[in-house]
Amino acid sequence: MTPEQLRDVVRSAVASAVERGALAVAVPDDVVVDRPKNPEHGDYATNLALRLAKAAGRPPREVAEVIAAELRQQPGIDAVDIAGPGFLNVRLAKAALGQVALQAVAAGKAYGRTEMLAGQRLNLEFVSANPTGPVHIGAVRWAAVGDALGRLLESSGAEVTREYYFNDAGAQIDRFARSLQAAAQGRPVPEDGYAGAYIDDIAAEVVAAEPGLAERADDEQLAVFRSRGVELMWVEIRSSLSGFGVVFDVYFSEWTLHEAGALEKAISRLREQGHVFEADGAIWLRTTTFGDDKDRVLVKGDGEPTYFAADCAYYLNKRERGFDKVLIMLGADHTGYVGRYKALVAAFGDDPDTNLEILIGQLVNLVKGGEPVRMSKRAGNVINLGDLVEAIGADAARYALARASIDQQIDLDLDLWSRQTSDNPVFYVQYAHARIASLLRAASDLGLVLGEPADVDPALLATQRESDLLRAIAEFPQVVASAAELRAPHRVARYLEELAGTYHRFYDACRVLPRGDEEATTLTTARLWLCAATATVLRNGLAVLGVHAPERM
RNA sequence: GCCCCCGUAGCUCAGGGGAUAGAGCACUGCCCUCCGGAGGCAGUGGCGCAGGUUCGAAUCCUGCCGGGGGCACCA
């Protein structure tokens, strides 16, 4: 029995108490069932009685007593104790708990999936780095976390479109093109341009691909550097991302919005809503109506639309594609966007609290040898995605970036994460999986097979360490669901570390395979199922994070 | 000045109002003639400060201190 299943049982116990007049409360639908830290507190605990006490007008322990009496009638429940101020501590029947191992193995990849977000169409935008340079370290965090979040939302039943928006229109692309041209001509890059070895490389590639380029007129050259350069940069970005295991469903070009007249359309739509005005020769959106700090310019005095105007058009485009909600992951250096973005959503007549969700994540500092790694674009020593993968590997990088809350600035120690030792949390988790894989191979060599669930006696999994492991396995679906709801993939990573530890302790205490010339027993079979169930959860959890679950290490 | 995020063990970080605040690493001492010791057990050690709400606060509210980020007709 998993905590969710128990939650239903508890709810019906309350309903039954209410029905027979023993309790005068509304049956709550947000019953909290959790796994107590202290094993003396049973397999699961709920604070329900504490929560209902006020509504029932009775002391918590008295309410607890009523619910406990009902609960004790339910199948699969061994004992119900009342503790402390009124906690209900539930001990499951051994078979009911052991059953979890069978459920997990039978469900396989589906174990942990829920339908919590079924029917929701979500657009998840992240990374969205401009094609003027490689994906730098700051954006890599969003690649890891955003991709994991996408998997998490899908695991909860949502239909997710991962989207990368790239700004291929506007001034910084001009600067990029001029930088390439300067590099090709052996001149220093312009003051406001882009520097770095990659500029020289791409300039050389453009020159090689376009014979006779040097003889053409200056503005013609620039156009070539612009289109070819962006294209090449774009290829590099996509390939570094795919080397990181991140592939988007949609790569959305800002230029296509300009081309299609989407900006004008968005502006006129906003005008119809009555939020557009002109002042100082520019066209503005009155975002202050919707709580923004100041109004925002849509079209500048020189007639050029702003980036913000493109944001409006892009948002409208997403909504027209039928997404219920637009999620955008941004770094803390874009905090200033939130107010204006919420306002533009409201200006279109949408609800910024339901149609939009902006996730702001804090920045990453790199550390090496205990010292912060100083990066400067000008000096060209910026660490980009490719460098990071080369330094510590894609699995370690993804795991390191995804295991911390996005609200937390993190120090990423390149020395630590490049070590192939147990210092490194990702190895701790992966090792647990490899260890089980090895054990299952050994079992198979002995001719031992899992067989059918009906032939397993789950009540045999009765020791403390086995129960601990079963409870941890049972918790996984709830971990996935709450991580999705809270947009917090790191919870999955932390859970996996705990699960790995719980498995190692089980392994240490419980012999699985027969020794020497002993015969396999029904306990052997039950424990093999428990191992297989653990491996299933480790695989599914690592899959959410986009990290491999190795069979061998 | 205003807005956002964060201050938890020596270090890197978990802790969505609940019971004795956790993990990994580091440090000290241990553990299988046996399935992967990349493991396990035990010990040392902590909620920035001050108020408030609550039966109960690391968690919610206010103030202060400290760190990071943001406040463009830039993208």
Side-chain angles (χ1 to χ4, degrees), chain A residues 150-196:
Chain A
R151 293 164 195 253
L152 210 42
L153 294 169
E154 282 169 344
S155 288
S156 302
E159 187 187 317
V160 179
T161 296
R162 283 154 236 251
E163 195 148 319
Y164 186 122
Y165 177 67
F166 62 102
N167 182 285
D168 53 355
Q172 85 288 3
I173 294 288
D174 293 336
R175 288 204 281 273
F176 176 62
R178 279 197 303 274
S179 303
L180 291 175
Q181 187 180 30
Q185 296 172 350
R187 291 186 284 115
V189 296
E191 189 56 31
D192 60 352
Y194 294 87

Short mmCIF file of all heavy atoms in Angstrom, two decimals, chain A residues 150-196:
data_model
loop_
_atom_site.label_atom_id
_atom_site.label_comp_id
_atom_site.label_asym_id
_atom_site.label_seq_id
_atom_site.Cartn_x
_atom_site.Cartn_y
_atom_site.Cartn_z
N GLY A 150 10.48 19.46 -17.48
CA GLY A 150 9.64 19.00 -18.58
C GLY A 150 9.28 17.53 -18.40
O GLY A 150 8.11 17.13 -18.54
N ARG A 151 10.28 16.73 -18.07
CA ARG A 151 10.03 15.29 -17.86
C ARG A 151 9.10 15.07 -16.67
O ARG A 151 8.26 14.19 -16.66
CB ARG A 151 11.35 14.56 -17.62
CG ARG A 151 12.25 14.55 -18.85
CD ARG A 151 13.66 14.19 -18.44
NE ARG A 151 14.62 14.50 -19.50
CZ ARG A 151 15.22 13.58 -20.25
NH1 ARG A 151 14.96 12.31 -20.08
NH2 ARG A 151 16.08 13.94 -21.17
N LEU A 152 9.31 15.90 -15.66
CA LEU A 152 8.51 15.80 -14.44
C LEU A 152 7.04 16.12 -14.73
O LEU A 152 6.13 15.42 -14.27
CB LEU A 152 9.07 16.80 -13.44
CG LEU A 152 9.00 16.57 -11.96
CD1 LEU A 152 9.32 15.14 -11.59
CD2 LEU A 152 10.00 17.52 -11.28
N LEU A 153 6.82 17.17 -15.48
CA LEU A 153 5.45 17.57 -15.80
C LEU A 153 4.78 16.51 -16.66
O LEU A 153 3.60 16.21 -16.50
CB LEU A 153 5.45 18.93 -16.52
CG LEU A 153 5.94 20.11 -15.65
CD1 LEU A 153 6.16 21.35 -16.51
CD2 LEU A 153 4.95 20.41 -14.53
N GLU A 154 5.57 15.92 -17.57
CA GLU A 154 5.02 14.84 -18.39
C GLU A 154 4.68 13.62 -17.53
O GLU A 154 3.67 12.96 -17.74
CB GLU A 154 6.01 14.46 -19.49
CG GLU A 154 5.99 15.45 -20.64
CD GLU A 154 7.13 15.26 -21.63
OE1 GLU A 154 8.12 14.58 -21.29
OE2 GLU A 154 7.03 15.82 -22.73
N SER A 155 5.54 13.35 -16.54
CA SER A 155 5.27 12.24 -15.64
C SER A 155 4.00 12.46 -14.84
O SER A 155 3.47 11.53 -14.25
CB SER A 155 6.43 12.05 -14.65
OG SER A 155 7.54 11.54 -15.32
N SER A 156 3.58 13.70 -14.76
CA SER A 156 2.36 13.99 -14.02
C SER A 156 1.18 14.14 -14.96
O SER A 156 0.13 14.63 -14.56
CB SER A 156 2.56 15.27 -13.21
OG SER A 156 3.64 15.10 -12.34
N GLY A 157 1.37 13.74 -16.20
CA GLY A 157 0.25 13.68 -17.11
C GLY A 157 0.05 14.88 -18.01
O GLY A 157 -0.84 14.88 -18.85
N ALA A 158 0.89 15.92 -17.85
CA ALA A 158 0.71 17.11 -18.69
C ALA A 158 1.26 16.86 -20.09
O ALA A 158 2.12 16.00 -20.29
CB ALA A 158 1.41 18.30 -18.07
N GLU A 159 0.73 17.61 -21.05
CA GLU A 159 1.28 17.59 -22.40
C GLU A 159 2.23 18.78 -22.49
O GLU A 159 1.80 19.93 -22.36
CB GLU A 159 0.14 17.73 -23.41
CG GLU A 159 0.55 17.56 -24.84
CD GLU A 159 -0.62 17.88 -25.77
OE1 GLU A 159 -1.76 17.46 -25.47
OE2 GLU A 159 -0.38 18.57 -26.76
N VAL A 160 3.51 18.50 -22.64
CA VAL A 160 4.52 19.56 -22.54
C VAL A 160 5.22 19.80 -23.87
O VAL A 160 5.66 18.87 -24.52
CB VAL A 160 5.60 19.19 -21.49
CG1 VAL A 160 6.66 20.27 -21.39
CG2 VAL A 160 4.96 18.93 -20.13
N THR A 161 5.30 21.06 -24.26
CA THR A 161 6.12 21.44 -25.41
C THR A 161 7.31 22.21 -24.88
O THR A 161 7.17 23.25 -24.25
CB THR A 161 5.32 22.31 -26.39
OG1 THR A 161 4.24 21.55 -26.93
CG2 THR A 161 6.21 22.79 -27.53
N ARG A 162 8.51 21.65 -25.12
CA ARG A 162 9.73 22.35 -24.69
C ARG A 162 10.12 23.30 -25.78
O ARG A 162 10.25 22.88 -26.94
CB ARG A 162 10.87 21.35 -24.54
CG ARG A 162 10.83 20.52 -23.30
CD ARG A 162 11.56 19.23 -23.60
NE ARG A 162 10.63 18.16 -23.30
CZ ARG A 162 10.78 17.37 -22.26
NH1 ARG A 162 11.82 17.50 -21.50
NH2 ARG A 162 9.90 16.44 -22.02
N GLU A 163 10.34 24.51 -25.43
CA GLU A 163 10.58 25.50 -26.47
C GLU A 163 11.82 26.35 -26.19
O GLU A 163 12.08 26.71 -25.05
CB GLU A 163 9.32 26.38 -26.58
CG GLU A 163 9.27 27.22 -27.82
CD GLU A 163 7.84 27.44 -28.33
OE1 GLU A 163 7.02 26.50 -28.31
OE2 GLU A 163 7.57 28.59 -28.74
N TYR A 164 12.51 26.65 -27.27
CA TYR A 164 13.72 27.49 -27.22
C TYR A 164 13.45 28.67 -28.12
O TYR A 164 13.20 28.52 -29.30
CB TYR A 164 14.90 26.67 -27.72
CG TYR A 164 16.27 27.30 -27.63
CD1 TYR A 164 17.29 26.67 -26.92
CD2 TYR A 164 16.58 28.50 -28.28
CE1 TYR A 164 18.56 27.22 -26.85
CE2 TYR A 164 17.85 29.06 -28.20
CZ TYR A 164 18.83 28.41 -27.49
OH TYR A 164 20.10 28.94 -27.42
N TYR A 165 13.48 29.84 -27.54
CA TYR A 165 13.23 31.07 -28.29
C TYR A 165 14.55 31.71 -28.58
O TYR A 165 15.31 31.99 -27.65
CB TYR A 165 12.37 31.98 -27.42
CG TYR A 165 12.04 33.35 -27.99
CD1 TYR A 165 11.21 33.49 -29.11
CD2 TYR A 165 12.50 34.50 -27.36
CE1 TYR A 165 10.88 34.74 -29.59
CE2 TYR A 165 12.16 35.77 -27.84
CZ TYR A 165 11.35 35.88 -28.95
OH TYR A 165 11.01 37.12 -29.41
N PHE A 166 14.85 31.93 -29.83
CA PHE A 166 16.12 32.61 -30.07
C PHE A 166 15.94 33.90 -30.82
O PHE A 166 15.21 34.01 -31.78
CB PHE A 166 17.15 31.69 -30.72
CG PHE A 166 16.78 31.17 -32.07
CD1 PHE A 166 17.34 31.74 -33.20
CD2 PHE A 166 15.91 30.10 -32.20
CE1 PHE A 166 17.02 31.24 -34.46
CE2 PHE A 166 15.60 29.61 -33.45
CZ PHE A 166 16.14 30.18 -34.57
N ASN A 167 16.69 34.85 -30.32
CA ASN A 167 16.61 36.19 -30.81
C ASN A 167 17.54 36.34 -32.00
O ASN A 167 18.74 36.51 -31.84
CB ASN A 167 17.00 37.12 -29.68
CG ASN A 167 16.90 38.55 -30.11
OD1 ASN A 167 17.75 39.02 -30.85
ND2 ASN A 167 15.88 39.22 -29.67
N ASP A 168 16.97 36.24 -33.17
CA ASP A 168 17.79 36.35 -34.37
C ASP A 168 17.42 37.61 -35.15
O ASP A 168 17.58 37.70 -36.35
CB ASP A 168 17.62 35.10 -35.25
CG ASP A 168 16.15 34.83 -35.54
OD1 ASP A 168 15.29 35.55 -35.00
OD2 ASP A 168 15.88 33.90 -36.31
N ALA A 169 16.87 38.59 -34.44
CA ALA A 169 16.58 39.87 -35.06
C ALA A 169 17.12 40.91 -34.11
O ALA A 169 17.22 40.68 -32.92
CB ALA A 169 15.07 40.05 -35.22
N GLY A 170 17.50 42.05 -34.64
CA GLY A 170 17.88 43.12 -33.73
C GLY A 170 19.36 43.39 -33.64
O GLY A 170 20.19 42.76 -34.31
N ALA A 171 19.66 44.31 -32.75
CA ALA A 171 20.98 44.95 -32.73
C ALA A 171 22.12 44.01 -32.36
O ALA A 171 23.22 44.13 -32.88
CB ALA A 171 20.95 46.13 -31.78
N GLN A 172 21.84 43.07 -31.46
CA GLN A 172 22.98 42.26 -31.03
C GLN A 172 23.41 41.29 -32.12
O GLN A 172 24.56 40.87 -32.18
CB GLN A 172 22.71 41.54 -29.71
CG GLN A 172 21.98 40.24 -29.80
CD GLN A 172 20.53 40.46 -30.16
OE1 GLN A 172 20.09 41.59 -30.40
NE2 GLN A 172 19.78 39.40 -30.22
N ILE A 173 22.48 40.97 -33.01
CA ILE A 173 22.85 40.15 -34.16
C ILE A 173 23.71 40.97 -35.12
O ILE A 173 24.67 40.45 -35.71
CB ILE A 173 21.58 39.62 -34.89
CG1 ILE A 173 20.82 38.66 -33.97
CG2 ILE A 173 21.95 38.94 -36.17
CD1 ILE A 173 21.48 37.32 -33.77
N ASP A 174 23.39 42.26 -35.23
CA ASP A 174 24.24 43.13 -36.05
C ASP A 174 25.65 43.18 -35.50
O ASP A 174 26.63 43.11 -36.24
CB ASP A 174 23.66 44.55 -36.08
CG ASP A 174 22.31 44.61 -36.81
OD1 ASP A 174 22.07 43.72 -37.65
OD2 ASP A 174 21.52 45.52 -36.52
N ARG A 175 25.72 43.28 -34.19
CA ARG A 175 27.05 43.35 -33.56
C ARG A 175 27.81 42.05 -33.78
O ARG A 175 29.01 42.05 -34.02
CB ARG A 175 26.88 43.59 -32.05
CG ARG A 175 26.42 44.99 -31.72
CD ARG A 175 26.84 45.37 -30.30
NE ARG A 175 25.98 44.78 -29.30
CZ ARG A 175 24.84 45.37 -28.88
NH1 ARG A 175 24.45 46.52 -29.38
NH2 ARG A 175 24.12 44.79 -27.96
N PHE A 176 27.08 40.97 -33.70
CA PHE A 176 27.67 39.65 -33.94
C PHE A 176 28.24 39.60 -35.37
O PHE A 176 29.40 39.21 -35.58
CB PHE A 176 26.60 38.59 -33.73
CG PHE A 176 27.02 37.18 -34.03
CD1 PHE A 176 28.04 36.56 -33.32
CD2 PHE A 176 26.36 36.44 -35.03
CE1 PHE A 176 28.41 35.25 -33.59
CE2 PHE A 176 26.73 35.13 -35.29
CZ PHE A 176 27.75 34.53 -34.59
N ALA A 177 27.42 40.05 -36.35
CA ALA A 177 27.85 40.02 -37.74
C ALA A 177 29.07 40.92 -37.96
O ALA A 177 30.03 40.53 -38.64
CB ALA A 177 26.69 40.46 -38.65
N ARG A 178 29.05 42.09 -37.35
CA ARG A 178 30.19 43.00 -37.51
C ARG A 178 31.45 42.42 -36.86
O ARG A 178 32.56 42.59 -37.36
CB ARG A 178 29.87 44.37 -36.90
CG ARG A 178 29.04 45.27 -37.83
CD ARG A 178 29.10 46.73 -37.37
NE ARG A 178 28.65 46.90 -36.00
CZ ARG A 178 27.37 47.06 -35.64
NH1 ARG A 178 26.42 47.07 -36.57
NH2 ARG A 178 27.05 47.20 -34.38
N SER A 179 31.25 41.70 -35.76
CA SER A 179 32.40 41.08 -35.10
C SER A 179 33.01 40.01 -36.00
O SER A 179 34.23 39.90 -36.11
CB SER A 179 31.97 40.44 -33.77
OG SER A 179 31.38 41.40 -32.93
N LEU A 180 32.14 39.24 -36.66
CA LEU A 180 32.63 38.20 -37.57
C LEU A 180 33.39 38.82 -38.73
O LEU A 180 34.47 38.36 -39.11
CB LEU A 180 31.44 37.38 -38.12
CG LEU A 180 30.71 36.48 -37.12
CD1 LEU A 180 29.50 35.83 -37.80
CD2 LEU A 180 31.65 35.40 -36.58
N GLN A 181 32.80 39.88 -39.25
CA GLN A 181 33.43 40.53 -40.40
C GLN A 181 34.79 41.08 -40.01
O GLN A 181 35.78 40.91 -40.74
CB GLN A 181 32.53 41.66 -40.91
CG GLN A 181 33.05 42.28 -42.21
CD GLN A 181 32.15 43.39 -42.70
OE1 GLN A 181 31.51 44.08 -41.90
NE2 GLN A 181 32.08 43.57 -44.00
N ALA A 182 34.86 41.71 -38.85
CA ALA A 182 36.12 42.27 -38.37
C ALA A 182 37.16 41.16 -38.22
O ALA A 182 38.30 41.30 -38.65
CB ALA A 182 35.90 42.98 -37.04
N ALA A 183 36.73 40.04 -37.66
CA ALA A 183 37.65 38.93 -37.46
C ALA A 183 38.15 38.40 -38.80
O ALA A 183 39.35 38.11 -38.96
CB ALA A 183 36.96 37.82 -36.67
N ALA A 184 37.24 38.32 -39.77
CA ALA A 184 37.62 37.81 -41.08
C ALA A 184 38.62 38.73 -41.75
O ALA A 184 39.48 38.29 -42.51
CB ALA A 184 36.37 37.65 -41.95
N GLN A 185 38.50 40.01 -41.48
CA GLN A 185 39.39 40.98 -42.10
C GLN A 185 40.63 41.26 -41.26
O GLN A 185 41.41 42.15 -41.56
CB GLN A 185 38.62 42.30 -42.35
CG GLN A 185 37.48 42.13 -43.34
CD GLN A 185 36.61 43.37 -43.44
OE1 GLN A 185 36.74 44.30 -42.65
NE2 GLN A 185 35.72 43.37 -44.42
N GLY A 186 40.76 40.54 -40.17
CA GLY A 186 41.93 40.69 -39.33
C GLY A 186 41.93 41.97 -38.50
O GLY A 186 42.97 42.38 -37.99
N ARG A 187 40.77 42.61 -38.44
CA ARG A 187 40.68 43.82 -37.61
C ARG A 187 40.24 43.42 -36.21
O ARG A 187 39.64 42.36 -36.01
CB ARG A 187 39.63 44.78 -38.20
CG ARG A 187 40.03 45.40 -39.52
CD ARG A 187 39.00 46.44 -39.96
NE ARG A 187 37.77 45.84 -40.48
CZ ARG A 187 36.58 45.96 -39.92
NH1 ARG A 187 36.44 46.60 -38.78
NH2 ARG A 187 35.52 45.40 -40.48
N PRO A 188 40.52 44.27 -35.22
CA PRO A 188 39.99 43.99 -33.87
C PRO A 188 38.48 44.11 -33.87
O PRO A 188 37.91 44.89 -34.66
CB PRO A 188 40.63 45.09 -33.00
CG PRO A 188 41.08 46.15 -33.95
CD PRO A 188 41.34 45.50 -35.26
N VAL A 189 37.82 43.34 -33.01
CA VAL A 189 36.35 43.39 -32.97
C VAL A 189 35.91 44.76 -32.45
O VAL A 189 36.61 45.38 -31.67
CB VAL A 189 35.75 42.28 -32.08
CG1 VAL A 189 36.07 40.93 -32.65
CG2 VAL A 189 36.23 42.42 -30.65
N PRO A 190 34.75 45.21 -32.90
CA PRO A 190 34.24 46.51 -32.45
C PRO A 190 34.09 46.57 -30.93
O PRO A 190 33.96 45.54 -30.28
CB PRO A 190 32.87 46.62 -33.14
CG PRO A 190 32.86 45.60 -34.20
CD PRO A 190 33.83 44.54 -33.82
N GLU A 191 34.09 47.78 -30.45
CA GLU A 191 34.00 48.03 -29.00
C GLU A 191 32.81 47.30 -28.38
O GLU A 191 32.91 46.70 -27.33
CB GLU A 191 33.87 49.55 -28.76
CG GLU A 191 33.99 49.96 -27.31
CD GLU A 191 35.28 49.49 -26.66
OE1 GLU A 191 36.32 49.38 -27.37
OE2 GLU A 191 35.25 49.21 -25.46
N ASP A 192 31.65 47.34 -29.07
CA ASP A 192 30.43 46.73 -28.53
C ASP A 192 30.22 45.32 -29.09
O ASP A 192 29.12 44.80 -29.07
CB ASP A 192 29.22 47.62 -28.84
CG ASP A 192 29.04 47.82 -30.34
OD1 ASP A 192 29.93 47.40 -31.11
OD2 ASP A 192 28.01 48.38 -30.75
N GLY A 193 31.28 44.74 -29.63
CA GLY A 193 31.12 43.45 -30.32
C GLY A 193 31.38 42.26 -29.42
O GLY A 193 31.49 42.38 -28.21
N TYR A 194 31.45 41.10 -30.05
CA TYR A 194 31.69 39.85 -29.33
C TYR A 194 33.11 39.40 -29.57
O TYR A 194 33.60 39.44 -30.70
CB TYR A 194 30.72 38.77 -29.80
CG TYR A 194 29.28 39.08 -29.45
CD1 TYR A 194 28.49 39.85 -30.30
CD2 TYR A 194 28.73 38.64 -28.26
CE1 TYR A 194 27.18 40.15 -29.99
CE2 TYR A 194 27.43 38.94 -27.93
CZ TYR A 194 26.65 39.69 -28.80
OH TYR A 194 25.37 39.99 -28.47
N ALA A 195 33.76 38.94 -28.52
CA ALA A 195 35.14 38.48 -28.65
C ALA A 195 35.20 37.01 -28.29
O ALA A 195 34.25 36.45 -27.76
CB ALA A 195 36.05 39.28 -27.73
N GLY A 196 36.30 36.40 -28.59
CA GLY A 196 36.48 35.01 -28.22
C GLY A 196 36.92 34.19 -29.43
O GLY A 196 36.71 34.59 -30.58
#
